[in-house]
Amino acid sequence: MIGILYFLALLSSTVARGHVGLWTEGNGRNGTNGGNGNKCTCDAFLPTSTFPIKDMVLVEQTAVEISNRLELEMGKLESYETKLTSYAERIVNLTVEIERMEKNPGSYNNAHTEDVKIEIKQVEALIVELQSSIQGSTTVFESLHEQIAAMVETLTRLEKTYDKNVVLATRREYIKVQLQLEECERRHQELFNPNIGSCAHTGIIKISKPIVSQLNAHLSTSYKFGGWGKDSKPIPDRESMYWYSAYSSAAIHDIRFYTNYKNLILRNHYQHHTLASGWRGTGNNFIVRDNTLYYQINNPFGMAKLNFTTMKYDQRVVTKASARFSYAYSSNQNFDFAADETGLWVIYATEESGGRMVIAKINEPSFGIEEEWQTSVYKPGVSNAFMVCGVFYAVRTIDIQGDEIFYKFDTKTKQESFISVPFERFQDNYYNLDYNPTDQKLYMYNDGYYVNYHLWFNHTAKAIEESPALST
Ligand SMILES: *[C@@H]1O[C@H](CO)[C@@H](O)[C@H](O)[C@H]1NC(C)=O
Ligand SMILES: *[C@@H]1O[C@H](CO)[C@@H](O)[C@H](O)[C@H]1NC(C)=O
Ligand SMILES: *[C@@H]1O[C@H](CO)[C@@H](O)[C@H](O)[C@H]1NC(C)=O
Ligand SMILES: *[C@@H]1O[C@H](CO)[C@@H](O)[C@H](O)[C@H]1NC(C)=O
């Protein structure tokens, strides 16, 4: 209800400023005739089927609803934080106590030792309980993201069909909740998994529902080929930077940088670089790392990079890599760049292996290939691939809505295994899917939309030892 009232107030203020002209006055004024016998006519062009009132009210209502739920979640997260702090303090106190007992085993009686043991058990139980509450927020965020994805679709449709100024106020509401959710998730992430950068797990076990930010900066669904994300090893002061690059064919021409998430969704870039004509790229499996774009070039066929700090280009031919094998969605994807906790990688297929994929580690200073690993997956059957903690993950498309990680290869142990970790797409096609170790998320550029996913890892006993509560 609040949503509708707010919307109506908004609408009347817009009308008062004369921006919209939904209502027009007829011949008369103030409902009286002007003395020449004309009657007042007041034509309302309002809720005809052509004006998106219903859609806008719905988006508006959704925004208010999301905002309320987020405030509630934020409150919960604050209370979890307080609890965590106090548990951490109790653990510190208990540790001190145990150290004291170990130093003077004679001076404590059994009852006291028993008390300490009980207290340890209590704190452990509280932490387990807290962890499951914190985890509960994930479900809430997922449902909020679903609502937001629907908003994004409606807004995109409205912006394409109607005057952008009419949609602007509704769009601001969307941006507000989008940022609120981002902040809430960041806080949640800090509580839920403060061990970003840690590889104390045995791999991905679950992928969230697609988190849809919005349609690209060109506001064009024909800009299907491209990518977006964050720098995986940002230089100082650029930690919150986002990048975006897309085109209507499988080429890379230019790239835009945004100082932060807010500016990304406001479509306010602060830098726009166009690649020099001899250095245009292809394939859409590019990434940004250390303020440098890594991408594929076709002449000579190989890897290229552009360092935005120095604006210097460089390239390397990879003799073994074949131009014949690409991913399932497009024929130009020969080199797939990836970055993880352990460094920079490039993935390709070779003639020698009959189109099976090879993982190669790139030495960042020399831009040369350090080592290669042969996998047993045939590249044309793969939709995309990425690396996490030195482990290669290959993804394939199962049906019109879903994909799955079906294969992994650990470069440390050279062990491969066939697995099944399914996930949903938002739209049909994608040419860019990458992991980012700075936030442990997967980034997908999905038919022009910015989409990302949260990942869940299988934490080993070691990882549990270093779990959130205990490491605070
Ligand atoms: C319309 O009504 C307003 C306020 O009642 C009055 O000030 C104004 O003079 C009226 N205009 C005409 C054309 O009657
Ligand atoms: C931990 O010990 C300090 C100092 O002895 C004490 O003030 C504090 O209340 C203790 N905290 C808890 C949670 O037991
Ligand atoms: C980019 O250039 C800067 C400045 O010379 C340098 O410190 C950095 O290592 C370069 N990065 C890459 C990836 O080439
Ligand atoms: C997580 O790892 C453990 C130990 O390696 C394994 O037994 C278990 O099956 C894994 N769980 C999943 C969901 O993969």
Side-chain angles (χ1 to χ4, degrees):
M1 280 334 276
I2 295 165
I4 292 172
L5 292 178
Y6 176 83
F7 177 76
L8 289 176
L10 202 93
L11 184 64
S12 58
S13 72
T14 320
V15 171
R17 289 196 304 271
H19 287 162
V20 188
L22 297 174
W23 306 86
T24 58
E25 260 175 25
N27 302 329
R29 296 247 159 166
N30 291 1
T32 59
N33 69 43
N36 54 10
N38 288 341
K39 285 232 171 97
C40 168
T41 58
C42 191
D43 302 321
F45 298 108
L46 204 46
T48 68
S49 59
T50 57
F51 191 77
I53 285 276
K54 236 173 61 191
D55 289 339
M56 284 165 79
V57 170
L58 199 70
V59 169
E60 171 61 23
Q61 274 177 312
T62 313
V64 173
E65 204 181 294
I66 293 175
S67 188
N68 291 342
R69 286 176 69 188
L70 280 172
E71 266 168 40
L72 215 86
E73 274 314 302
M74 202 61 142
K76 278 197 221 160
L77 289 179
E78 272 162 20
S79 90
Y80 297 156
E81 234 172 284
T82 316
K83 280 186 186 163
L84 261 181
T85 314
S86 98
Y87 297 165
E89 197 186 315
R90 278 175 76 176
I91 290 167
V92 170
N93 284 7
L94 285 167
T95 313
V96 171
E97 190 71 23
I98 291 165
E99 274 170 8
R100 223 184 283 144
M101 289 161 84
E102 279 173 346
K103 276 188 198 137
N104 306 297
S107 51
Y108 293 92
N109 59 29
N110 279 347
H112 188 87
T113 316
E114 220 34 56
D115 283 351
V116 174
K117 278 188 190 158
I118 289 168
E119 187 162 4
I120 292 174
K121 285 254 167 343
Q122 279 173 345
V123 179
E124 264 172 12
L126 287 170
I127 288 169
V128 169
E129 191 188 299
L130 187 62
Q131 278 175 328
S132 76
S133 317
I134 294 173
Q135 190 153 16
S137 296
T138 311
T139 324
V140 176
F141 294 145
E142 284 201 352
S143 89
L144 293 179
H145 277 300
E146 270 173 39
Q147 282 181 288
I148 285 193
M151 278 170 94
V152 171
E153 278 184 303
T154 311
L155 277 175
T156 306
R157 186 162 41 79
L158 296 178
E159 281 179 334
K160 279 194 288 187
T161 322
Y162 301 96
D163 179 1
K164 286 213 188 78
N165 287 328
V166 180
V167 186
L168 199 66
T170 314
R171 175 163 187 77
R172 279 199 203 102
E173 288 307 297
Y174 154 71
I175 289 172
K176 204 181 86 193
V177 294
Q178 179 68 270
L179 293 175
Q180 220 179 335
L181 181 55
E182 182 72 7
E183 172 63 13
C184 215
E185 284 195 306
R186 200 184 54 72
R187 294 277 292 273
H188 178 253
Q189 176 80 3
E190 280 169 12
L191 287 174
F192 185 56
N193 183 12
N195 298 331
I196 291 213
S198 155
C199 286
H201 59 70
T202 58
I204 299 171
I205 48 170
K206 190 182 152 193
I207 302 181
S208 74
K209 292 219 183 315
I211 297 166
V212 183
S213 296
Q214 69 179 9
L215 186 62
N216 61 60
H218 290 97
L219 256 177
S220 168
T221 41
S222 64
Y223 275 53
K224 288 180 189 300
F225 298 86
W228 79 292
K230 297 180 81 172
D231 189 320
S232 59
K233 192 170 116 191
I235 59 171
D237 297 329
R238 297 210 173 177
E239 290 86 356
S240 51
M241 184 180 83
Y242 282 80
W243 58 267
Y244 154 70
S245 168
Y247 203 59
S248 51
S249 71
I252 171 165
H253 274 236
D254 62 347
I255 186 164
R256 285 169 169 76
F257 290 110
Y258 303 83
T259 53
N260 53 34
Y261 186 73
K262 179 173 175 182
N263 283 321
L264 174 86
I265 61 175
L266 286 169
R267 302 191 171 101
N268 283 337
H269 61 266
Y270 81 111
Q271 279 184 351
H272 179 198
H273 297 288
T274 301
L275 302 194
S277 62
W279 287 96
R280 298 272 156 83
T282 189
N284 307 112
N285 290 119
F286 41 79
I287 56 167
V288 174
R289 178 171 178 81
D290 191 22
N291 208 30
T292 299
L293 171 72
Y294 289 91
Y295 64 104
Q296 173 181 340
I297 44 168
N298 279 349
N299 197 13
F301 178 67
M303 318 190 284
K305 70 171 184 176
L306 166 55
N307 188 334
F308 296 105
T309 310
T310 56
M311 289 312 291
K312 276 205 187 120
Y313 292 89
D314 200 359
Q315 55 88 13
R316 293 287 182 277
V317 169
V318 181
T319 348
K320 278 193 194 168
S322 167
R324 244 180 8 109
F325 304 100
S326 184
Y327 288 140
Y329 282 108
S330 149
S331 57
N332 299 280
Q333 303 172 284
N334 308 118
F335 290 98
D336 184 358
F337 293 89
D340 68 4
E341 290 78 359
T342 68
L344 178 65
W345 307 82
V346 64
I347 303 154
Y348 44 81
T350 62
E351 292 294 339
E352 190 181 51
S353 69
R356 281 179 230 299
M357 294 176 80
V358 169
I359 308 158
K361 186 76 189 282
I362 297 177
N363 179 289
E364 290 182 62
S366 72
F367 196 27
I369 287 175
E370 256 173 28
E371 200 176 342
E372 287 184 331
W373 293 263
Q374 175 71 57
T375 74
S376 58
V377 285
Y378 183 57
K379 184 160 179 177
V382 174
S383 304
N384 221 295
F386 56 88
M387 301 291 299
V388 181
C389 289
V391 177
F392 165 83
Y393 291 90
V395 173
R396 69 178 166 205
T397 293
I398 336 177
D399 56 34
I400 56 159
Q401 284 186 331
D403 277 41
E404 70 172 355
I405 298 177
F406 73 99
Y407 174 87
K408 70 175 184 178
F409 183 99
D410 189 335
T411 57
K412 285 188 293 291
T413 61
K414 299 189 171 63
Q415 274 191 341
E416 62 177 358
S417 49
F418 286 86
I419 57 176
S420 175
V421 183
F423 63 97
E424 281 172 32
R425 292 193 303 281
F426 174 62
Q427 302 283 319
D428 290 343
N429 304 305
Y430 64 96
Y431 310 99
N432 188 302
L433 177 71
D434 267 301
Y435 171 73
N436 193 313
T438 67
D439 55 12
Q440 295 186 328
K441 281 187 181 182
L442 273 185
Y443 286 82
M444 177 191 274
Y445 187 68
N446 193 188
D447 271 345
Y449 286 86
Y450 306 144
V451 173
N452 66 84
Y453 298 87
H454 289 299
L455 298 176
W456 280 265
F457 299 102
N458 191 352
H459 288 282
T460 59
K462 188 169 182 305
I464 290 158
E465 239 172 62
E466 298 164 356
S467 78
L470 296 164
S471 66
T472 306

